[in-house]
PDB file of all heavy atoms in Angstrom:
ATOM      1  N   VAL E   8       0.857  -1.163   0.014  1.00 96.00           N
ATOM      2  CA  VAL E   8       0.005   0.000  -0.003  1.00 96.00           C
ATOM      3  C   VAL E   8       0.902   1.220   0.002  1.00 96.00           C
ATOM      4  O   VAL E   8       1.803   1.345   0.823  1.00 96.00           O
ATOM      5  CB  VAL E   8      -0.927   0.026   1.258  1.00 96.00           C
ATOM      6  CG1 VAL E   8      -1.743   1.301   1.235  1.00 96.00           C
ATOM      7  CG2 VAL E   8      -1.828  -1.197   1.281  1.00 96.00           C
ATOM      8  N   ILE E   9       0.656   2.131  -0.934  1.00 95.00           N
ATOM      9  CA  ILE E   9       1.400   3.385  -1.038  1.00 95.00           C
ATOM     10  C   ILE E   9       0.426   4.508  -0.723  1.00 95.00           C
ATOM     11  O   ILE E   9      -0.620   4.633  -1.370  1.00 95.00           O
ATOM     12  CB  ILE E   9       2.010   3.598  -2.428  1.00 95.00           C
ATOM     13  CG1 ILE E   9       2.964   2.435  -2.767  1.00 95.00           C
ATOM     14  CG2 ILE E   9       2.727   4.948  -2.507  1.00 95.00           C
ATOM     15  CD1 ILE E   9       3.433   2.449  -4.193  1.00 95.00           C
ATOM     16  N   VAL E  10       0.720   5.320   0.283  1.00 94.00           N
ATOM     17  CA  VAL E  10      -0.107   6.461   0.673  1.00 94.00           C
ATOM     18  C   VAL E  10       0.606   7.736   0.280  1.00 94.00           C
ATOM     19  O   VAL E  10       1.745   7.997   0.741  1.00 94.00           O
ATOM     20  CB  VAL E  10      -0.405   6.443   2.173  1.00 94.00           C
ATOM     21  CG1 VAL E  10      -1.335   7.605   2.553  1.00 94.00           C
ATOM     22  CG2 VAL E  10      -1.013   5.117   2.615  1.00 94.00           C
ATOM     23  N   SER E  11      -0.014   8.514  -0.582  1.00 90.00           N
ATOM     24  CA  SER E  11       0.583   9.766  -1.008  1.00 90.00           C
ATOM     25  C   SER E  11      -0.058  10.920  -0.219  1.00 90.00           C
ATOM     26  O   SER E  11      -1.243  11.220  -0.412  1.00 90.00           O
ATOM     27  CB  SER E  11       0.376   9.977  -2.509  1.00 90.00           C
ATOM     28  OG  SER E  11       1.043  11.122  -2.968  1.00 90.00           O
ATOM     29  N   GLY E  12       0.698  11.510   0.711  1.00 78.00           N
ATOM     30  CA  GLY E  12       0.135  12.508   1.592  1.00 78.00           C
ATOM     31  C   GLY E  12       0.450  13.912   1.142  1.00 78.00           C
ATOM     32  O   GLY E  12       0.953  14.128   0.054  1.00 78.00           O
ATOM     33  N   PRO E  13       0.098  14.911   1.970  1.00 80.00           N
ATOM     34  CA  PRO E  13      -0.413  14.723   3.348  1.00 80.00           C
ATOM     35  C   PRO E  13      -1.899  14.344   3.336  1.00 80.00           C
ATOM     36  O   PRO E  13      -2.655  14.816   2.514  1.00 80.00           O
ATOM     37  CB  PRO E  13      -0.202  16.079   3.994  1.00 80.00           C
ATOM     38  CG  PRO E  13      -0.232  17.039   2.853  1.00 80.00           C
ATOM     39  CD  PRO E  13       0.354  16.318   1.682  1.00 80.00           C
ATOM     40  N   ILE E  14      -2.246  13.420   4.236  1.00 82.00           N
ATOM     41  CA  ILE E  14      -3.673  13.073   4.446  1.00 82.00           C
ATOM     42  C   ILE E  14      -3.938  13.142   5.947  1.00 82.00           C
ATOM     43  O   ILE E  14      -3.019  13.279   6.755  1.00 82.00           O
ATOM     44  CB  ILE E  14      -3.987  11.675   3.914  1.00 82.00           C
ATOM     45  CG1 ILE E  14      -3.301  10.580   4.747  1.00 82.00           C
ATOM     46  CG2 ILE E  14      -3.608  11.534   2.448  1.00 82.00           C
ATOM     47  CD1 ILE E  14      -3.768   9.180   4.410  1.00 82.00           C
ATOM     48  N   LYS E  15      -5.183  13.041   6.285  1.00 82.00           N
ATOM     49  CA  LYS E  15      -5.568  13.100   7.697  1.00 82.00           C
ATOM     50  C   LYS E  15      -4.979  11.908   8.451  1.00 82.00           C
ATOM     51  O   LYS E  15      -4.919  10.803   7.937  1.00 82.00           O
ATOM     52  CB  LYS E  15      -7.090  13.113   7.848  1.00 82.00           C
ATOM     53  CG  LYS E  15      -7.723  14.446   7.505  1.00 82.00           C
ATOM     54  CD  LYS E  15      -9.132  14.500   8.045  1.00 82.00           C
ATOM     55  CE  LYS E  15      -9.692  15.895   7.971  1.00 82.00           C
ATOM     56  NZ  LYS E  15     -11.023  16.018   8.572  1.00 82.00           N
ATOM     57  N   ARG E  16      -4.510  12.168   9.674  1.00 85.00           N
ATOM     58  CA  ARG E  16      -3.906  11.135  10.466  1.00 85.00           C
ATOM     59  C   ARG E  16      -4.900   9.994  10.728  1.00 85.00           C
ATOM     60  O   ARG E  16      -4.513   8.822  10.834  1.00 85.00           O
ATOM     61  CB  ARG E  16      -3.409  11.720  11.790  1.00 85.00           C
ATOM     62  CG  ARG E  16      -2.107  12.439  11.667  1.00 85.00           C
ATOM     63  CD  ARG E  16      -0.945  11.499  11.369  1.00 85.00           C
ATOM     64  NE  ARG E  16       0.326  12.187  11.217  1.00 85.00           N
ATOM     65  CZ  ARG E  16       1.485  11.608  11.078  1.00 85.00           C
ATOM     66  NH1 ARG E  16       1.555  10.298  11.038  1.00 85.00           N
ATOM     67  NH2 ARG E  16       2.600  12.293  10.939  1.00 85.00           N
ATOM     68  N   SER E  17      -6.156  10.321  10.874  1.00 84.00           N
ATOM     69  CA  SER E  17      -7.134   9.277  11.118  1.00 84.00           C
ATOM     70  C   SER E  17      -7.208   8.309   9.947  1.00 84.00           C
ATOM     71  O   SER E  17      -7.314   7.070  10.154  1.00 84.00           O
ATOM     72  CB  SER E  17      -8.540   9.918  11.352  1.00 84.00           C
ATOM     73  OG  SER E  17      -8.922  10.713  10.254  1.00 84.00           O
ATOM     74  N   SER E  18      -7.111   8.857   8.733  1.00 86.00           N
ATOM     75  CA  SER E  18      -7.084   7.965   7.550  1.00 86.00           C
ATOM     76  C   SER E  18      -5.822   7.149   7.502  1.00 86.00           C
ATOM     77  O   SER E  18      -5.837   5.942   7.237  1.00 86.00           O
ATOM     78  CB  SER E  18      -7.208   8.795   6.266  1.00 86.00           C
ATOM     79  OG  SER E  18      -8.413   9.509   6.240  1.00 86.00           O
ATOM     80  N   LEU E  19      -4.666   7.813   7.749  1.00 89.00           N
ATOM     81  CA  LEU E  19      -3.390   7.097   7.724  1.00 89.00           C
ATOM     82  C   LEU E  19      -3.355   6.006   8.775  1.00 89.00           C
ATOM     83  O   LEU E  19      -2.915   4.882   8.517  1.00 89.00           O
ATOM     84  CB  LEU E  19      -2.237   8.069   7.947  1.00 89.00           C
ATOM     85  CG  LEU E  19      -0.828   7.473   7.956  1.00 89.00           C
ATOM     86  CD1 LEU E  19      -0.503   6.833   6.598  1.00 89.00           C
ATOM     87  CD2 LEU E  19       0.215   8.526   8.297  1.00 89.00           C
ATOM     88  N   ASP E  20      -3.816   6.318   9.981  1.00 90.00           N
ATOM     89  CA  ASP E  20      -3.826   5.346  11.065  1.00 90.00           C
ATOM     90  C   ASP E  20      -4.717   4.149  10.708  1.00 90.00           C
ATOM     91  O   ASP E  20      -4.379   3.000  11.047  1.00 90.00           O
ATOM     92  CB  ASP E  20      -4.291   5.969  12.379  1.00 90.00           C
ATOM     93  CG  ASP E  20      -3.264   6.974  12.924  1.00 90.00           C
ATOM     94  OD1 ASP E  20      -2.123   6.948  12.479  1.00 90.00           O
ATOM     95  OD2 ASP E  20      -3.646   7.799  13.799  1.00 90.00           O
ATOM     96  N   ALA E  21      -5.857   4.427  10.081  1.00 91.00           N
ATOM     97  CA  ALA E  21      -6.756   3.333   9.719  1.00 91.00           C
ATOM     98  C   ALA E  21      -6.085   2.419   8.693  1.00 91.00           C
ATOM     99  O   ALA E  21      -6.204   1.187   8.743  1.00 91.00           O
ATOM    100  CB  ALA E  21      -8.050   3.888   9.137  1.00 91.00           C
ATOM    101  N   VAL E  22      -5.366   3.001   7.727  1.00 93.00           N
ATOM    102  CA  VAL E  22      -4.676   2.218   6.716  1.00 93.00           C
ATOM    103  C   VAL E  22      -3.537   1.385   7.336  1.00 93.00           C
ATOM    104  O   VAL E  22      -3.431   0.176   7.075  1.00 93.00           O
ATOM    105  CB  VAL E  22      -4.092   3.147   5.608  1.00 93.00           C
ATOM    106  CG1 VAL E  22      -3.181   2.359   4.674  1.00 93.00           C
ATOM    107  CG2 VAL E  22      -5.228   3.801   4.827  1.00 93.00           C
ATOM    108  N   THR E  23      -2.698   2.013   8.133  1.00 93.00           N
ATOM    109  CA  THR E  23      -1.556   1.297   8.705  1.00 93.00           C
ATOM    110  C   THR E  23      -2.015   0.193   9.656  1.00 93.00           C
ATOM    111  O   THR E  23      -1.406  -0.862   9.728  1.00 93.00           O
ATOM    112  CB  THR E  23      -0.620   2.260   9.434  1.00 93.00           C
ATOM    113  OG1 THR E  23      -1.355   3.020  10.436  1.00 93.00           O
ATOM    114  CG2 THR E  23      -0.012   3.246   8.465  1.00 93.00           C
ATOM    115  N   SER E  24      -3.090   0.448  10.384  1.00 92.00           N
ATOM    116  CA  SER E  24      -3.620  -0.552  11.310  1.00 92.00           C
ATOM    117  C   SER E  24      -4.151  -1.767  10.565  1.00 92.00           C
ATOM    118  O   SER E  24      -3.877  -2.915  10.924  1.00 92.00           O
ATOM    119  CB  SER E  24      -4.715   0.052  12.194  1.00 92.00           C
ATOM    120  OG  SER E  24      -5.268  -0.929  13.050  1.00 92.00           O
ATOM    121  N   SER E  25      -4.923  -1.499   9.491  1.00 93.00           N
ATOM    122  CA  SER E  25      -5.466  -2.604   8.726  1.00 93.00           C
ATOM    123  C   SER E  25      -4.355  -3.369   8.005  1.00 93.00           C
ATOM    124  O   SER E  25      -4.372  -4.609   7.947  1.00 93.00           O
ATOM    125  CB  SER E  25      -6.479  -2.076   7.706  1.00 93.00           C
ATOM    126  OG  SER E  25      -7.070  -3.106   6.956  1.00 93.00           O
ATOM    127  N   ALA E  26      -3.373  -2.633   7.468  1.00 93.00           N
ATOM    128  CA  ALA E  26      -2.261  -3.288   6.777  1.00 93.00           C
ATOM    129  C   ALA E  26      -1.448  -4.130   7.738  1.00 93.00           C
ATOM    130  O   ALA E  26      -0.985  -5.224   7.396  1.00 93.00           O
ATOM    131  CB  ALA E  26      -1.392  -2.247   6.117  1.00 93.00           C
ATOM    132  N   GLU E  27      -1.232  -3.631   8.955  1.00 92.00           N
ATOM    133  CA  GLU E  27      -0.488  -4.388   9.943  1.00 92.00           C
ATOM    134  C   GLU E  27      -1.176  -5.704  10.264  1.00 92.00           C
ATOM    135  O   GLU E  27      -0.539  -6.748  10.449  1.00 92.00           O
ATOM    136  CB  GLU E  27      -0.302  -3.546  11.222  1.00 92.00           C
ATOM    137  CG  GLU E  27       0.489  -4.246  12.308  1.00 92.00           C
ATOM    138  CD  GLU E  27       0.518  -3.467  13.600  1.00 92.00           C
ATOM    139  OE1 GLU E  27      -0.354  -2.549  13.803  1.00 92.00           O
ATOM    140  OE2 GLU E  27       1.422  -3.701  14.429  1.00 92.00           O
ATOM    141  N   GLN E  28      -2.508  -5.660  10.298  1.00 91.00           N
ATOM    142  CA  GLN E  28      -3.290  -6.889  10.613  1.00 91.00           C
ATOM    143  C   GLN E  28      -3.013  -7.966   9.558  1.00 91.00           C
ATOM    144  O   GLN E  28      -2.949  -9.153   9.885  1.00 91.00           O
ATOM    145  CB  GLN E  28      -4.768  -6.528  10.660  1.00 91.00           C
ATOM    146  CG  GLN E  28      -5.681  -7.721  10.857  1.00 91.00           C
ATOM    147  CD  GLN E  28      -7.149  -7.321  10.775  1.00 91.00           C
ATOM    148  OE1 GLN E  28      -7.479  -6.142  10.736  1.00 91.00           O
ATOM    149  NE2 GLN E  28      -8.024  -8.320  10.731  1.00 91.00           N
ATOM    150  N   PHE E  29      -2.924  -7.575   8.285  1.00 92.00           N
ATOM    151  CA  PHE E  29      -2.715  -8.516   7.199  1.00 92.00           C
ATOM    152  C   PHE E  29      -1.220  -8.732   6.862  1.00 92.00           C
ATOM    153  O   PHE E  29      -0.905  -9.507   5.960  1.00 92.00           O
ATOM    154  CB  PHE E  29      -3.460  -8.060   5.942  1.00 92.00           C
ATOM    155  CG  PHE E  29      -4.933  -8.112   6.016  1.00 92.00           C
ATOM    156  CD1 PHE E  29      -5.698  -6.962   6.039  1.00 92.00           C
ATOM    157  CD2 PHE E  29      -5.608  -9.332   6.110  1.00 92.00           C
ATOM    158  CE1 PHE E  29      -7.063  -7.007   6.123  1.00 92.00           C
ATOM    159  CE2 PHE E  29      -6.978  -9.393   6.204  1.00 92.00           C
ATOM    160  CZ  PHE E  29      -7.725  -8.220   6.200  1.00 92.00           C
ATOM    161  N   GLY E  30      -0.346  -8.046   7.551  1.00 91.00           N
ATOM    162  CA  GLY E  30       1.080  -8.165   7.273  1.00 91.00           C
ATOM    163  C   GLY E  30       1.456  -7.551   5.928  1.00 91.00           C
ATOM    164  O   GLY E  30       2.367  -8.049   5.242  1.00 91.00           O
ATOM    165  N   ILE E  31       0.786  -6.459   5.542  1.00 94.00           N
ATOM    166  CA  ILE E  31       1.032  -5.803   4.275  1.00 94.00           C
ATOM    167  C   ILE E  31       1.920  -4.568   4.498  1.00 94.00           C
ATOM    168  O   ILE E  31       1.636  -3.716   5.309  1.00 94.00           O
ATOM    169  CB  ILE E  31      -0.294  -5.352   3.617  1.00 94.00           C
ATOM    170  CG1 ILE E  31      -1.191  -6.564   3.412  1.00 94.00           C
ATOM    171  CG2 ILE E  31      -0.027  -4.642   2.295  1.00 94.00           C
ATOM    172  CD1 ILE E  31      -2.602  -6.196   2.955  1.00 94.00           C
ATOM    173  N   PRO E  32       3.026  -4.453   3.764  1.00 95.00           N
ATOM    174  CA  PRO E  32       3.891  -3.261   3.895  1.00 95.00           C
ATOM    175  C   PRO E  32       3.178  -1.985   3.421  1.00 95.00           C
ATOM    176  O   PRO E  32       2.322  -2.033   2.519  1.00 95.00           O
ATOM    177  CB  PRO E  32       5.087  -3.586   2.984  1.00 95.00           C
ATOM    178  CG  PRO E  32       5.061  -5.080   2.829  1.00 95.00           C
ATOM    179  CD  PRO E  32       3.629  -5.470   2.876  1.00 95.00           C
ATOM    180  N   VAL E  33       3.535  -0.861   4.029  1.00 96.00           N
ATOM    181  CA  VAL E  33       2.965   0.439   3.689  1.00 96.00           C
ATOM    182  C   VAL E  33       4.107   1.432   3.477  1.00 96.00           C
ATOM    183  O   VAL E  33       5.067   1.438   4.257  1.00 96.00           O
ATOM    184  CB  VAL E  33       2.022   0.954   4.791  1.00 96.00           C
ATOM    185  CG1 VAL E  33       1.471   2.333   4.425  1.00 96.00           C
ATOM    186  CG2 VAL E  33       0.871  -0.023   5.039  1.00 96.00           C
ATOM    187  N   ILE E  34       3.995   2.263   2.436  1.00 96.00           N
ATOM    188  CA  ILE E  34       4.916   3.367   2.250  1.00 96.00           C
ATOM    189  C   ILE E  34       4.118   4.677   2.296  1.00 96.00           C
ATOM    190  O   ILE E  34       3.160   4.829   1.550  1.00 96.00           O
ATOM    191  CB  ILE E  34       5.671   3.274   0.902  1.00 96.00           C
ATOM    192  CG1 ILE E  34       6.500   1.981   0.829  1.00 96.00           C
ATOM    193  CG2 ILE E  34       6.583   4.494   0.726  1.00 96.00           C
ATOM    194  CD1 ILE E  34       7.230   1.810  -0.476  1.00 96.00           C
ATOM    195  N   TYR E  35       4.507   5.571   3.180  1.00 95.00           N
ATOM    196  CA  TYR E  35       3.865   6.879   3.288  1.00 95.00           C
ATOM    197  C   TYR E  35       4.796   7.917   2.722  1.00 95.00           C
ATOM    198  O   TYR E  35       5.902   8.142   3.258  1.00 95.00           O
ATOM    199  CB  TYR E  35       3.523   7.191   4.746  1.00 95.00           C
ATOM    200  CG  TYR E  35       2.825   8.521   4.978  1.00 95.00           C
ATOM    201  CD1 TYR E  35       1.859   8.988   4.092  1.00 95.00           C
ATOM    202  CD2 TYR E  35       3.159   9.300   6.058  1.00 95.00           C
ATOM    203  CE1 TYR E  35       1.260  10.200   4.267  1.00 95.00           C
ATOM    204  CE2 TYR E  35       2.548  10.525   6.295  1.00 95.00           C
ATOM    205  CZ  TYR E  35       1.586  10.956   5.370  1.00 95.00           C
ATOM    206  OH  TYR E  35       0.946  12.172   5.556  1.00 95.00           O
ATOM    207  N   VAL E  36       4.403   8.580   1.637  1.00 95.00           N
ATOM    208  CA  VAL E  36       5.255   9.537   0.937  1.00 95.00           C
ATOM    209  C   VAL E  36       4.613  10.915   0.941  1.00 95.00           C
ATOM    210  O   VAL E  36       3.415  11.056   0.737  1.00 95.00           O
ATOM    211  CB  VAL E  36       5.567   9.073  -0.499  1.00 95.00           C
ATOM    212  CG1 VAL E  36       4.292   8.824  -1.284  1.00 95.00           C
ATOM    213  CG2 VAL E  36       6.403  10.117  -1.226  1.00 95.00           C
ATOM    214  N   ARG E  37       5.403  11.934   1.235  1.00 92.00           N
ATOM    215  CA  ARG E  37       4.976  13.326   1.193  1.00 92.00           C
ATOM    216  C   ARG E  37       5.985  14.148   0.370  1.00 92.00           C
ATOM    217  O   ARG E  37       7.188  14.033   0.572  1.00 92.00           O
ATOM    218  CB  ARG E  37       4.896  13.915   2.627  1.00 92.00           C
ATOM    219  CG  ARG E  37       3.896  13.229   3.481  1.00 92.00           C
ATOM    220  CD  ARG E  37       4.012  13.657   4.953  1.00 92.00           C
ATOM    221  NE  ARG E  37       5.201  13.084   5.591  1.00 92.00           N
ATOM    222  CZ  ARG E  37       5.398  13.114   6.915  1.00 92.00           C
ATOM    223  NH1 ARG E  37       4.486  13.656   7.716  1.00 92.00           N
ATOM    224  NH2 ARG E  37       6.486  12.588   7.417  1.00 92.00           N
ATOM    225  N   SER E  38       5.463  14.885  -0.581  1.00 92.00           N
ATOM    226  CA  SER E  38       6.323  15.753  -1.411  1.00 92.00           C
ATOM    227  C   SER E  38       5.671  17.126  -1.452  1.00 92.00           C
ATOM    228  O   SER E  38       4.578  17.275  -1.984  1.00 92.00           O
ATOM    229  CB  SER E  38       6.449  15.155  -2.819  1.00 92.00           C
ATOM    230  OG  SER E  38       7.248  16.012  -3.653  1.00 92.00           O
ATOM    231  N   VAL E  39       6.339  18.105  -0.901  1.00 90.00           N
ATOM    232  CA  VAL E  39       5.819  19.474  -0.858  1.00 90.00           C
ATOM    233  C   VAL E  39       6.961  20.427  -1.161  1.00 90.00           C
ATOM    234  O   VAL E  39       7.994  20.410  -0.505  1.00 90.00           O
ATOM    235  CB  VAL E  39       5.211  19.803   0.513  1.00 90.00           C
ATOM    236  CG1 VAL E  39       4.741  21.256   0.539  1.00 90.00           C
ATOM    237  CG2 VAL E  39       4.065  18.864   0.848  1.00 90.00           C
ATOM    238  N   GLY E  40       6.764  21.291  -2.156  1.00 88.00           N
ATOM    239  CA  GLY E  40       7.812  22.211  -2.531  1.00 88.00           C
ATOM    240  C   GLY E  40       9.085  21.478  -2.926  1.00 88.00           C
ATOM    241  O   GLY E  40       9.049  20.501  -3.659  1.00 88.00           O
ATOM    242  N   PHE E  41      10.211  21.950  -2.380  1.00 93.00           N
ATOM    243  CA  PHE E  41      11.490  21.328  -2.702  1.00 93.00           C
ATOM    244  C   PHE E  41      11.870  20.196  -1.735  1.00 93.00           C
ATOM    245  O   PHE E  41      12.988  19.678  -1.822  1.00 93.00           O
ATOM    246  CB  PHE E  41      12.604  22.379  -2.703  1.00 93.00           C
ATOM    247  CG  PHE E  41      12.675  23.175  -3.965  1.00 93.00           C
ATOM    248  CD1 PHE E  41      12.138  24.462  -4.022  1.00 93.00           C
ATOM    249  CD2 PHE E  41      13.247  22.645  -5.109  1.00 93.00           C
ATOM    250  CE1 PHE E  41      12.208  25.202  -5.202  1.00 93.00           C
ATOM    251  CE2 PHE E  41      13.333  23.378  -6.270  1.00 93.00           C
ATOM    252  CZ  PHE E  41      12.808  24.652  -6.316  1.00 93.00           C
TER     253      PHE E  41
END
């Protein structure tokens, strides 16, 4: 699962929690300005 942020922490926490349950890796990426 790749999460392109910034997103709400509640959404990110829900994703990471569900992914942890299934043993699925998650990458959280943020790109802003330089």
Side-chain angles (χ1 to χ4, degrees):
V8 177
I9 301 170
V10 182
S11 185
I14 69 171
K15 284 196 169 185
R16 282 291 179 173
S17 56
S18 299
L19 180 62
D20 291 344
V22 171
T23 55
S24 177
S25 182
E27 182 185 19
Q28 177 185 350
F29 290 112
I31 302 171
V33 178
I34 299 178
Y35 180 40
V36 55
R37 296 169 288 193
S38 178
V39 177
F41 279 101

